[in-house]
Amino acid sequence: MAYLVLARKHRPKTFAEMVGQEHVVQALSNALTSQRLHHAYLFTGTRGVGKTTVSRILAKSLNCQGPDGQGGITATPCGVCQACRDIDAGRFVDYTELDAASNRGVDEVQALLEQAVYKPVQGRFKVFMIDEVHMLTGHAFNAMLKTLEEPPEYLKFVLATTDPQKVPVTVLSRCLQFNLRPMAPETVFEHLTQVLQGESVPAEPQALRLIARSARGSMRDALSLTDQAIAFGNGELAETSVRRMLGSADRGHVFGLVDALSKGDGKTVVEVVEALRQDGLSAASTLEEMTAILQGMAVLQAVPSRAAGAASGDPDAVETARLAAAMPADETQLLYSLCLHGRSELGLAPDEYAGLTMVLLRLLAFKPSSTGTAEKKTLNEPPRPVQSHGPSAALPSSPDGSEHRDQPAATSADLSPEVAPMPERGSADRAEGASRAPSAVSHERRSDQPARQGHRLPVVDSPSRNDGVQCAPSTGEQMQQSDGKVLAMPVRVQPPAGSRDAMREPSIAVAPSSEEGNFWHATVTQMVAAEMVNALARELALQSQLVARDVDQWLLRVERESLNQASCRDKLQAALANLGHEVKIAIEIGPVSDSPARRNRFASDQRQRAAEEAIQGDPEIQSMMRDWDAKIVPGTLRPA
């Protein structure tokens, strides 16, 4: 007798033998027991999950006559009567299977439907089973719609497809649909164990687990791989032989890779990949195995209580639990994502092992910080310190941005000789808004203690009137000495960096407006018109915001680091000196809300809108648009 493959030999004969489709078995069994039978059934699901098997069992349930020939419709067909044996053998005249992949035309469907007018010859019902029904043509679907909707009482339709999206909704609405799910690897493993016990074939559990994972939810694929493994292993299933057959990497190699990545050991990673290359193991399967292990690690990190239960069923669970405790959770998630997306990159690499090496080394290149807060701390850092290009008085500020009113003055030893922070606006000034800008208070250095280049003199609080209003700035001759200290000079109020006003882009409705902005815009416009600055120096002037003006130093803010160059600052300082402003330029990086470029853009937008409104409101233009259905092409209008 010819050998019968395991997938056919162990095909379930009853609903009780079905594996992994309990939801379908329960629904059909209850319907058969109560005899609430639909006239058309649609079974969907991936390959090898039991669509044809369920159809045949349903046909036996409808036509079973019982061992004594007196049986009726039942959910447990006997399997010994003539109808059951003929359906299992594929020769029951009232059960017709049509392969729609090769019989997809309207003629084949019409030939099948012509048999519907005849009553059953042997059985109780005629059953038409159409496999891969989505392959039928549109005309074939239309030809069967009427019969499918109102078939004779002795006719049942059973449709099966792996792609229900291609089935017309007119067919779907006439059928009772059941979705057969892909089977879990544990379910496949248990069934393979039972099958091989019945076949008296020795098999290692790890070998069966490899086959169960490779089947990807299909029991037929699992049984076919088992047949191949039996032949490859000469009658037995060993883990090493199954791995060689499947081309999958040894779990030991995969665990070694994950362990080396957790320790940041790039040398071991490269050596393991070279070992995989020499053994001829698949790089894609290696990433797949790593993905499975990392998924298990992530589950254990999120739910540590699952470690005890998993260890009892899978020998690899102990090593997975150890790695889950050694690798941080964020690193596990990052490595899982890299392995998942890296599989699609293997085909683009010079060879798959080079692609595998780069995927693994990518984690070492982007390995999270040990503290896990390297990037987060940059969000809370104070503003970037401003380089000093000349002697000027620093205005120290408290961590919350308010000025030091009651704190001792900072000394030159507390500040770097080249770097010192510029003043920030206090919370009280922000509450008052831009409507009232506090005035600066004059100060002077002592003649006998001149400030050295790069050093800062201590500051004292500026005097104020009894009503709380600060005094107006005084001239250079009116600057008073104060025991080697200079008076603090607050700057004008500006929107704080990161505020809503500072981050808002210039729009048509709101124009940038501030006192310092007006002064800086006029100054820059004068320099650009006189061609005193060009190239990057001009861009620096146009893209910057004047944040503060000290006696001998101005603070500018730009958004792009590329504009903060020494040559640009020197050219801009020279141009300002030609206009009578002998000052040093300091630059900080931050959001800009009021720059000459933004003001120019706003003015251009205003002119553009005025031009569009003038055209739209012109009576002749409106007449042409009304009478001739004319349209203004967007983007063609330019202000004169």
Side-chain angles (χ1 to χ4, degrees), residues 15-241:
F15 286 126
E17 297 177 4
M18 288 287 298
V19 177
Q21 308 297 343
E22 289 78 10
H23 62 293
V24 177
V25 170
Q26 180 179 349
L28 293 177
S29 298
N30 293 339
L32 291 167
T33 301
S34 61
Q35 298 192 9
R36 298 178 61 90
L37 302 175
H38 204 272
H39 61 269
Y41 296 88
L42 174 63
F43 298 120
T44 65
T46 186
R47 74 276 178 272
V49 293
K51 298 184 295 296
T52 304
T53 299
V54 172
S55 173
R56 293 181 180 178
I57 297 175
L58 179 60
K60 289 194 296 184
S61 299
L62 294 173
N63 292 287
C64 180
Q65 299 171 357
D68 56 357
Q70 302 299 322
I73 299 175
T74 177
T76 56
C78 65
V80 297
C81 67
Q82 187 67 32
C84 291
R85 287 187 284 111
D86 288 349
I87 291 175
D88 288 335
R91 57 174 180 264
F92 190 64
V93 67
D94 293 323
Y95 177 70
T96 304
E97 288 189 2
L98 178 68
D99 180 19
S102 55
N103 301 277
R104 57 193 308 264
V106 64
D107 294 335
E108 290 83 354
V109 173
Q110 286 179 344
L112 177 66
L113 296 179
E114 287 175 357
Q115 304 177 24
V117 299
Y118 302 106
K119 289 189 175 182
V121 176
Q122 290 180 271
R124 196 176 293 110
F125 292 93
K126 272 183 173 291
V127 180
F128 289 167
M129 194 275 180
I130 305 178
D131 199 9
E132 298 298 338
V133 68
H134 67 276
M135 300 292 290
L136 292 178
T137 63
H139 293 296
F141 275 120
N142 293 333
M144 65 182 294
L145 283 180
K146 187 59 178 177
T147 307
L148 182 64
E149 182 178 9
E150 297 179 355
E153 59 180 7
Y154 52 80
L155 178 61
K156 302 295 182 185
F157 280 93
V158 179
L159 312 180
T161 178
T162 57
D163 196 354
Q165 287 78 17
K166 294 183 179 179
V167 179
V169 292
T170 52
V171 174
L172 295 175
S173 64
R174 290 167 167 82
C175 300
L176 201 62
Q177 183 173 347
F178 294 94
N179 182 30
L180 280 73
R181 304 165 184 164
M183 301 180 193
E186 294 79 8
T187 303
V188 178
F189 170 77
E190 294 175 358
H191 186 67
L192 291 181
T193 303
Q194 296 177 1
V195 169
L196 294 180
Q197 286 178 354
E199 294 288 325
S200 300
V201 176
E204 295 181 2
Q206 283 300 99
L208 297 183
R209 286 192 174 90
L210 286 173
I211 295 176
R213 286 195 293 265
S214 300
R216 300 184 181 276
S218 171
M219 187 63 73
R220 184 175 61 222
D221 288 3
L223 292 171
S224 299
L225 288 174
T226 304
D227 261 326
Q228 182 180 353
I230 292 174
F232 187 85
N234 194 20
E236 62 180 14
L237 274 72
E239 179 184 1
T240 55
S241 62

Side-chain angles (χ1 to χ4, degrees), residues 107-438:
D107 294 335
E108 290 83 354
V109 173
Q110 286 179 344
L112 177 66
L113 296 179
E114 287 175 357
Q115 304 177 24
V117 299
Y118 302 106
K119 289 189 175 182
V121 176
Q122 290 180 271
R124 196 176 293 110
F125 292 93
K126 272 183 173 291
V127 180
F128 289 167
M129 194 275 180
I130 305 178
D131 199 9
E132 298 298 338
V133 68
H134 67 276
M135 300 292 290
L136 292 178
T137 63
H139 293 296
F141 275 120
N142 293 333
M144 65 182 294
L145 283 180
K146 187 59 178 177
T147 307
L148 182 64
E149 182 178 9
E150 297 179 355
E153 59 180 7
Y154 52 80
L155 178 61
K156 302 295 182 185
F157 280 93
V158 179
L159 312 180
T161 178
T162 57
D163 196 354
Q165 287 78 17
K166 294 183 179 179
V167 179
V169 292
T170 52
V171 174
L172 295 175
S173 64
R174 290 167 167 82
C175 300
L176 201 62
Q177 183 173 347
F178 294 94
N179 182 30
L180 280 73
R181 304 165 184 164
M183 301 180 193
E186 294 79 8
T187 303
V188 178
F189 170 77
E190 294 175 358
H191 186 67
L192 291 181
T193 303
Q194 296 177 1
V195 169
L196 294 180
Q197 286 178 354
E199 294 288 325
S200 300
V201 176
E204 295 181 2
Q206 283 300 99
L208 297 183
R209 286 192 174 90
L210 286 173
I211 295 176
R213 286 195 293 265
S214 300
R216 300 184 181 276
S218 171
M219 187 63 73
R220 184 175 61 222
D221 288 3
L223 292 171
S224 299
L225 288 174
T226 304
D227 261 326
Q228 182 180 353
I230 292 174
F232 187 85
N234 194 20
E236 62 180 14
L237 274 72
E239 179 184 1
T240 55
S241 62
V242 171
R243 285 191 183 277
R244 289 172 55 195
M245 182 193 75
L246 298 176
S248 59
D250 186 2
R251 275 290 176 98
H253 290 314
V254 178
F255 281 128
L257 284 174
V258 177
D259 188 40
L261 290 172
S262 66
K263 298 176 181 178
D265 187 0
K267 180 175 180 294
T268 302
V269 171
V270 176
E271 290 176 352
V272 173
V273 174
E274 287 299 322
L276 295 174
R277 182 198 298 269
Q278 294 176 2
D279 294 340
L281 300 179
S282 171
S285 65
T286 302
L287 289 178
E288 183 178 353
E289 290 283 347
M290 288 188 64
T291 303
I293 292 175
L294 291 167
Q295 187 267 342
M297 291 169 54
V299 172
L300 293 180
Q301 290 170 348
V303 188
S305 60
R306 292 179 58 94
S312 61
D314 189 352
D316 295 336
V318 177
E319 186 68 12
T320 302
R322 184 188 70 81
L323 292 175
M327 181 177 288
D330 58 344
E331 194 169 327
T332 302
Q333 295 291 338
L334 175 60
L335 183 56
Y336 177 84
S337 179
L338 290 176
C339 292
L340 200 64
H341 292 86
R343 294 178 62 186
S344 61
E345 301 177 4
L346 295 180
L348 304 176
D351 63 84
E352 63 174 5
Y353 296 101
L356 175 62
T357 304
M358 292 305 299
V359 170
L360 299 178
L361 294 182
R362 192 173 302 158
L363 175 70
L364 300 181
F366 297 98
K367 190 178 180 66
S369 173
S370 59
T371 59
T373 58
E375 295 184 1
K376 296 179 180 178
K377 290 193 294 184
T378 61
L379 301 177
N380 298 323
E381 288 180 355
R384 181 177 301 184
V386 182
Q387 292 186 358
S388 173
H389 300 277
S392 62
L395 300 179
S397 59
S398 60
D400 61 350
S402 59
E403 296 179 0
H404 287 225
R405 296 300 182 187
D406 300 318
Q407 297 182 7
T411 63
S412 59
D414 297 329
L415 300 172
S416 169
E418 292 298 330
V419 179
M422 289 300 295
E424 297 185 6
R425 262 57 60 201
S427 57
D429 294 339
R430 287 195 295 266
E432 292 176 354
S435 60
R436 186 183 66 84

